[in-house]
């Protein structure tokens, strides 16, 4: 359906002035690489495209057209948005969130952790959660917790932990 027809026949009706400016630049001899744009597909859905385009020259070096690719990156953009929403939720959660590696080294804490424990993010990162250890739980308690987590399951329970200032708290 596309062969022999001009590219403009396939441009969406919602093409932006910015997009037209970019494509004009290609026809002036400036390649377009990694250009992201959004359009409405023929089915009416919003799609995100990654566009690369370059001028086509004739044997005399005159620009006679353009060639290019448009890759549908809609799924990637949705995944990025989902990750952003999740990160925002974690950052704004009222509950302390701590992420460790499998050895127990703290890799991330959210602002609620800092508020609750008195430890800053910088003080916690790279350390072990035992900085919060209150002495109220035996080794078996922690061993069971890590067995559950390392098996891929979700551990749920309560800790009595110690803040930076020595005050005990339950979470």
């Amino acid at each position: 359906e596309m062969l022999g027809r001009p590219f403009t026949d396939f441009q969406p009706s919602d093409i932006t002035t910015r997009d037209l400016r970019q494509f004009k630049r290609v026809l002036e001899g400036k390649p377009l690489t990694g250009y992201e744009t959004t359009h409405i597909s023929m089915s009416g859905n919003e799609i995100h495209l990654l566009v690369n385009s370059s001028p086509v020259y004739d044997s005399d070096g005159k620009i006679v057209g353009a060639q290019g690719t448009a890759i549908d990156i809609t799924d990637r953009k949705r995944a990025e948005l989902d990750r952003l929403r999740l990160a925002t939720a974690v950052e704004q959660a009222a509950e302390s969130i701590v992420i460790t590696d499998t050895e127990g080294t703290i890799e991330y804490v959210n602002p609620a952790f800092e508020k609750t424990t008195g430890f800053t993010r910088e003080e916690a990162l790279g350390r072990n959660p035992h900085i919060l250890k209150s002495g109220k739980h035996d080794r078996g308690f922690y061993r069971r917790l890590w067995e559950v987590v390392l098996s891929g399951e979700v551990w749920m329970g309560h800790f009595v932990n110690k803040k930076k200032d020595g005050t005990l708290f339950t979470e």
Side-chain angles (χ1 to χ4, degrees), residues 56-76:
V56 174
Y57 299 91
D58 66 12
S59 59
D60 295 326
K62 180 183 171 199
I63 297 173
V64 293
Q67 65 180 359
T69 59
I71 301 168
D72 185 342
I73 58 169
T74 304
D75 290 340
R76 184 186 87 193

Side-chain angles (χ1 to χ4, degrees), residues 90-154:
V90 167
E91 283 288 305
Q92 294 179 358
E95 295 80 19
S96 294
I97 297 176
V98 178
I99 298 175
T100 70
D101 65 13
T102 56
E103 301 299 316
T105 302
I106 297 173
E107 295 180 335
Y108 170 84
V109 297
N110 71 341
F113 171 90
E114 293 178 289
K115 192 176 203 178
T116 301
T117 68
F119 286 98
T120 66
R121 180 173 289 180
E122 292 75 23
E123 291 172 316
L125 295 180
R127 299 192 57 196
N128 188 290
H130 78 295
I131 61 173
L132 304 172
K133 198 171 182 180
S134 66
K136 298 290 184 182
H137 305 285
D138 63 20
R139 287 182 183 257
F141 174 85
Y142 294 106
R143 187 179 63 252
R144 286 186 298 279
L145 177 149
W146 278 103
E147 285 172 357
V148 170
V149 171
L150 291 173
S151 73
E153 298 296 317
V154 175

